[in-house]
Amino acid sequence: MPIRILIISCLVMSCIACKEKAIVQKPTTPFDYLLGDWERTNSKGGSETFEHWKTVTATELRGHGYTLEDEDTVFNERIRLVQKKNQWQLQISGPNETPTVFKITENNGKSFTAVNPENEFPKVIRYSYFDDVLTATISSEEMEIPFIFWRIED
């Protein structure tokens, strides 16, 4: 009887040892095309603008946008895409600690539009991704500013 228990124990241990490790899958969001590091290609002379995006959970992405002039940070903002009550929103915190919230009104997997008609500027923010180029446009009725980014490769 003891040899039978020993054989069964060895078989169980062998099975456990040979079992493949489960692959931990990263959460996905409808905005995964934003992930990574981006550099603005249409910055004004003497400045460089960057954005960095990462996944936090399946319902939140965090971004960081900043502009450098002569290696000094002259602009800095924190960006969040977060799902609340089945509605995605874009939240931007910069000079003000209280985030400005934009409601996502359109999203097709390669672009999205976020609006806040109460905000002075911008009232509309639109991101679109095509051919490894990311375009962010901020606008109101009077003005539109495009930001064109290329992905920074490691």
Side-chain angles (χ1 to χ4, degrees):
M1 187 77 150
I3 207 143
R4 186 183 282 181
I5 292 173
L6 180 63
I7 292 173
I8 292 173
S9 295
C10 288
L11 286 173
V12 169
M13 295 302 267
S14 294
C15 289
I16 291 171
C18 293
K19 186 178 179 182
E20 289 184 36
K21 291 184 178 180
I23 297 172
V24 177
Q25 207 160 359
K26 188 171 155 181
T28 60
T29 73
F31 307 97
D32 283 353
Y33 55 91
L34 294 171
L35 298 177
D37 296 304
W38 301 89
E39 180 175 5
R40 185 177 180 189
T41 62
N42 64 335
S43 291
K44 68 177 184 171
S47 70
E48 299 174 288
T49 299
F50 301 92
E51 278 193 13
H52 169 76
W53 287 91
K54 66 180 181 179
T55 303
V56 178
T57 67
T59 58
E60 181 181 2
L61 278 86
R62 286 193 188 151
H64 177 225
Y66 60 99
T67 300
L68 302 175
E69 285 182 6
D70 298 322
E71 298 185 28
D72 290 328
T73 303
V74 296
F75 178 77
N76 193 19
E77 70 181 359
R78 292 174 310 283
I79 314 164
R80 286 179 70 210
L81 274 162
V82 62
Q83 187 179 32
K84 293 190 174 195
K85 297 181 182 177
N86 293 324
Q87 172 66 52
W88 283 92
Q89 54 183 235
L90 178 68
Q91 301 175 356
I92 300 178
S93 304
N96 303 323
E97 285 304 313
T98 304
T100 303
V101 178
F102 294 81
K103 180 181 175 184
I104 305 293
T105 57
E106 296 177 37
N107 179 25
N108 70 10
K110 293 290 182 183
S111 68
F112 72 88
T113 302
V115 299
N116 180 339
E118 305 303 315
N119 195 45
E120 186 176 341
F121 185 84
K123 294 185 181 295
V124 178
I125 300 174
R126 178 165 177 77
Y127 275 83
S128 61
Y129 175 77
F130 178 74
D131 201 21
D132 222 24
V133 174
L134 183 67
T135 303
T137 305
I138 59 174
S139 63
S140 67
E141 296 85 9
E142 299 83 30
M143 184 185 342
E144 181 174 289
I145 302 171
F147 295 78
I148 300 169
F149 294 93
W150 286 354
R151 188 180 302 277
I152 299 172
E153 299 296 331
D154 291 331

